[in-house]
Amino acid sequence: MTASTTRRTTAARSRLAAAGAIAVAGALLLTGCGDQTDKGSDSSTADSSTAPLADRLPADIRKAGVIKVGSDIAYAPVEFKDGSGKTVGIDPDLADAMGKQLGVKFEFENGTFDTLLGGLRSNRYDIAMSAMTDTKARQEGVDSETGKKVGEGVDFVDYFTAGVSIYTKKGDDQGIKTWADLCGKKLVVQRGTVSHDLAKAEAEKCPAGRTIAIESYDNDQQAQTRLRAGGADAGSSDFPVAAYAVKTSGGGKDFQLVGEQVDAAPYGIAVAKDDTELRDALKAALDAVIENGDYQKVLEKWGVTEGAVKEATINGGK
């Protein structure tokens, strides 16, 4: 996810490169949650004395046995609450696999997407892992819309690739096939995401009197609800999320994807610039789970293998 400096993000990129690449099993609930630590997110804690990469972590995190994760836990299938209230999805499963390598538990805390990097800067979280697109603007702490410096920036450990998609009510595509077709239409998006940035950039290209009416929300589920109720013509989000909503909302009867996904770019785990030891430990853990096959198993479970990377990368976003 992302806007100016937080994610899912700026005007030229986002999630997954091949339509039809997601086949998520099961109609899991798309339910949100309050802003609180999720004690029930099952990122198992391996014994740090036997975990192969435990000595790569900073001493304070190794001693605590926990990595605090800021995440917008309302973005199925990347991270969301299931019917029992447990945090599930691609990111929690990858965090669980990494935790076994590092000998720690990844403890997910819910927050709105556009506040996650601020929470990281204030040390509320150790990392932000929330389908966040790695971009130069975020790396440099620059607001993508104004071009102004708003923070010290972050480093990213990239672990997945995805693009942005448009979806409409099923059977009512409003003639929308491309982003240019949104001129004169109302679009719903999650605030601060790449979809939000793309919409604002596209609106500037529209003919006079036919701009895009953009409604932004705290999370993607609110945007979906608005579209479902007939309050907009289309919605946009990262491809895995849009495809999951199309598959599960109303038993597959609410929405449809239109056009092709655009702007494929990496998702990254955000880490403070001065926390290079933690950053490098996370990269080592990701490389380990890619090598041992756990990474592929997670992507197969959620039907998103087209977004796989061959190795973790630091600051690969453009």
Side-chain angles (χ1 to χ4, degrees):
M1 321 164 198
T2 69
S4 329
T5 62
T6 11
R7 164 121 265 222
R8 305 170 205 215
T9 246
T10 101
R13 54 214 99 68
S14 194
R15 314 181 180 205
L16 245 174
I22 189 168
V24 179
L28 299 174
L29 298 179
L30 298 176
T31 51
C33 52
D35 190 298
Q36 57 191 4
T37 300
D38 176 21
K39 303 298 184 183
S41 61
D42 292 349
S43 290
S44 306
T45 305
D47 183 347
S48 62
S49 65
T50 60
L53 298 175
D55 62 350
R56 301 289 297 271
L57 285 168
D60 58 338
I61 289 181
R62 191 164 64 245
K63 181 178 179 181
V66 170
I67 292 177
K68 295 180 293 182
V69 185
S71 188
D72 173 15
I73 311 175
Y75 210 63
V78 187
E79 50 263 317
F80 63 108
K81 297 282 188 178
D82 68 9
S84 68
K86 176 183 175 183
T87 297
V88 297
I90 299 165
D91 283 355
D93 282 355
L94 288 177
D96 179 63
M98 293 165 60
K100 292 171 183 174
Q101 296 292 320
L102 295 167
V104 294
K105 177 178 179 178
F106 285 67
E107 193 171 82
F108 280 72
E109 299 185 24
N110 190 46
T112 55
F113 186 75
D114 58 358
T115 67
L116 296 182
L117 293 190
L120 184 61
R121 286 193 293 268
S122 66
N123 297 316
R124 177 176 180 179
Y125 316 123
D126 297 311
I127 64 174
M129 188 175 187
S130 191
M132 185 174 289
T133 302
D134 173 5
T135 67
K136 286 295 183 185
R138 287 184 179 138
Q139 292 171 25
E140 297 170 358
V142 171
D143 185 308
S144 61
E145 187 172 359
T146 66
K148 294 181 179 179
K149 186 83 170 174
V150 293
E152 66 273 25
V154 296
D155 282 339
F156 285 100
V157 181
D158 299 337
Y159 63 96
F160 189 73
T161 302
V164 171
S165 291
I166 301 169
Y167 60 99
T168 66
K169 293 187 72 173
K170 193 161 188 175
D172 187 19
D173 67 12
Q174 301 284 314
I176 299 167
K177 301 295 182 186
T178 69
W179 280 83
D181 294 332
L182 290 169
C183 293
K185 307 291 188 183
K186 182 181 289 187
L187 178 74
V188 289
V189 296
Q190 179 177 349
R191 187 176 303 110
T193 62
V194 177
S195 292
H196 195 184
D197 286 344
L198 285 172
K200 288 184 287 187
E202 191 65 41
E204 294 180 356
K205 305 174 188 177
C206 291
R210 295 191 65 246
T211 190
I212 303 172
I214 304 168
E215 290 187 0
S216 61
Y217 294 87
D218 286 344
N219 62 59
D220 203 65
Q221 292 172 13
Q222 293 171 351
Q224 290 175 25
T225 298
R226 178 67 165 161
L227 178 59
R228 191 183 298 113
D233 300 303
S236 177
S237 57
D238 290 355
F239 172 71
V241 177
Y244 187 87
V246 166
K247 183 177 180 65
T248 61
S249 181
K253 297 179 180 179
D254 288 343
F255 304 128
Q256 65 184 42
L257 291 171
V258 295
E260 300 294 327
Q261 60 176 310
V262 300
D263 293 342
Y267 283 176
I269 301 171
V271 187
K273 282 285 187 186
D274 60 359
D275 210 348
T276 55
E277 190 176 8
L278 176 57
R279 179 200 68 192
D280 293 346
L282 293 171
K283 182 185 185 305
L286 274 167
D287 282 334
V289 300
I290 290 171
E291 184 175 351
N292 71 15
D294 286 348
Y295 175 82
Q296 184 69 16
K297 290 176 183 176
V298 170
L299 300 195
E300 287 174 352
K301 172 183 175 180
W302 294 103
V304 293
T305 54
E306 290 297 325
V309 297
K310 294 182 178 179
E311 64 179 354
T313 303
I314 294 175
N315 294 334
K318 305 300 183 184

